[in-house]
Amino acid sequence: MDTVNHTGLSYTFFHLLGIPGLEDQHMWISIPFFISYVTALLGNSLLIFIILTRSSLHGPMYLFLCMLAGADIVLSTSTVPQALAIFWFDAGEISLDRCITQLFFIHSTYISESGILLVMAFDRYIAICYPLRYTTILTNSLIGKIGVTIFLRSYGTIFPIIFLLKRLTFCRSNILPHTACEHTGLSKYACNDLQVNIWYGLFVLMSTVTLDVVLIFISYMLILHTVFHLPSQAARHKALNTCGSHVCVIILFYGPGIFSTLARQFGHQISADIHVLLANVCILAPPMLNPIIYGVKTKQIRHQVTHVLFLSLK
């Protein structure tokens, strides 16, 4: 499992423990993981199928939702199968290259989702503040360019991390107390100076997710300003109702992540297993619940889902 070079011992294989301290409960813990993954795959696949096959759902909001569903599938597939392999077969061994590949897809997809939530907030802003210009501003051409920009930004910002990790010598330990690889968790086992990794990681966080949160907040402040100046209560209620699903998804996406970050920084008394479980909630919850939220709160999608399921049962 070890290789030796001129700098000394450097691990090229690692062992993921799963949920540290709860190894004897892995079989039971795997049940919600499995249910969440199957729900995420079926729900998001159904959402993508309905949006792509129904011409009435080819509007900007639904196309952005289709992007979000695709990112949800990638995010859950990047993590849950590896976790289930650990829980069921104790298959925690992973090579350095595979570990870096996994964290690349986890981090880049997370940033993609954040970017999609931002453009969905922009979509709601245009729909409510400039309703007569909505279709002329958000054309299919612009939506395509936005989609490409989102994914170029996410993959472009995470790509340098591959080289920042490959230059490191991992000599402290090859035991990773987690269900998946992530940048901070892996790099802390290196013997090198980590200043570049730390500062670049902070730059990525501030220039992507943090910036997205700020811009989403500004978008909703402008939306609320417009809504409260509408002439009738019915118009205000209708405008706010169109934002309900998106607000729920925003809270679901950023909420667990913020809580997990605060717990890592200030919850020094919190056990390692709780930290790992919180990190997994950040990955498991949004892909599973996003299609349910939009299916329940969006009338057009709810009707189409009912129609598809009814036809399949006939």
Side-chain angles (χ1 to χ4, degrees), residues 170-191:
F170 298 95
C171 60
R172 296 185 187 278
S173 176
N174 68 339
I175 305 298
L176 304 179
H178 212 301
T179 56
C181 295
E182 47 96 18
H183 179 223
T184 305
L186 180 61
S187 59
K188 72 180 181 181
Y189 292 107
C191 299

Side-chain angles (χ1 to χ4, degrees), residues 82-100:
Q82 173 70 59
L84 292 176
I86 296 169
F87 296 152
W88 290 344
F89 310 112
D90 194 27
E93 186 172 88
I94 186 170
S95 68
L96 176 60
D97 289 339
R98 226 180 103 209
C99 192
I100 293 175

Side-chain angles (χ1 to χ4, degrees), residues 240-258:
L240 289 174
N241 193 51
T242 63
C243 300
S245 300
H246 187 237
V247 171
C248 290
V249 170
I250 288 172
I251 294 171
L252 180 65
F253 182 77
Y254 293 112
I258 293 171

Side-chain angles (χ1 to χ4, degrees), residues 91-113:
E93 186 172 88
I94 186 170
S95 68
L96 176 60
D97 289 339
R98 226 180 103 209
C99 192
I100 293 175
T101 301
Q102 183 185 45
L103 69 85
F104 171 80
F105 280 104
I106 291 172
H107 292 313
S108 60
T109 307
Y110 192 87
I111 292 173
S112 293
E113 291 216 19

Side-chain angles (χ1 to χ4, degrees), residues 34-253:
F34 179 73
I35 293 172
S36 300
Y37 184 52
V38 171
T39 304
L41 283 183
L42 294 178
N44 286 292
S45 297
L46 179 61
L47 203 57
I48 292 171
F49 172 77
I50 287 172
I51 291 172
L52 293 181
T53 58
R54 299 295 188 272
S55 58
S56 61
L57 298 180
H58 285 180
M61 182 181 79
Y62 301 108
L63 294 177
F64 290 137
L65 180 55
C66 189
M67 293 181 198
L68 183 66
D72 278 337
I73 291 175
V74 175
L75 184 63
S76 55
T77 301
S78 298
T79 54
V80 182
Q82 173 70 59
L84 292 176
I86 296 169
F87 296 152
W88 290 344
F89 310 112
D90 194 27
E93 186 172 88
I94 186 170
S95 68
L96 176 60
D97 289 339
R98 226 180 103 209
C99 192
I100 293 175
T101 301
Q102 183 185 45
L103 69 85
F104 171 80
F105 280 104
I106 291 172
H107 292 313
S108 60
T109 307
Y110 192 87
I111 292 173
S112 293
E113 291 216 19
S114 181
I116 294 168
L117 290 177
L118 171 60
V119 297
M120 291 175 81
F122 174 69
D123 167 81
R124 291 300 84 204
Y125 167 72
I126 298 297
I128 291 172
C129 299
Y130 303 98
L132 299 180
R133 299 173 57 195
Y134 179 65
T135 54
T136 57
I137 293 175
L138 288 174
T139 62
N140 287 340
S141 173
L142 179 60
I143 292 169
K145 291 174 183 176
I146 289 172
V148 171
T149 302
I150 288 170
F151 293 109
L152 285 178
R153 181 190 75 153
S154 61
Y155 292 121
T157 52
I158 298 300
F159 190 70
I161 288 178
I162 296 175
F163 302 99
L164 291 177
L165 287 171
K166 290 288 284 184
R167 73 186 179 88
L168 299 177
T169 301
F170 298 95
C171 60
R172 296 185 187 278
S173 176
N174 68 339
I175 305 298
L176 304 179
H178 212 301
T179 56
C181 295
E182 47 96 18
H183 179 223
T184 305
L186 180 61
S187 59
K188 72 180 181 181
Y189 292 107
C191 299
N192 313 70
D193 182 5
L194 296 176
Q195 287 298 313
V196 176
N197 291 64
I198 292 170
W199 283 108
Y200 186 74
L202 182 62
F203 163 75
V204 171
L205 178 66
M206 298 302 293
S207 64
T208 56
V209 177
T210 304
L211 178 62
D212 293 346
V213 171
V214 172
L215 293 177
I216 289 171
F217 179 78
I218 293 172
S219 296
Y220 271 96
M221 289 300 99
L222 294 172
I223 288 171
L224 289 174
H225 179 267
T226 300
V227 167
F228 289 133
H229 282 82
L230 291 175
S232 68
Q233 185 175 350
R236 290 195 293 270
H237 177 74
K238 182 179 179 181
L240 289 174
N241 193 51
T242 63
C243 300
S245 300
H246 187 237
V247 171
C248 290
V249 170
I250 288 172
I251 294 171
L252 180 65
F253 182 77

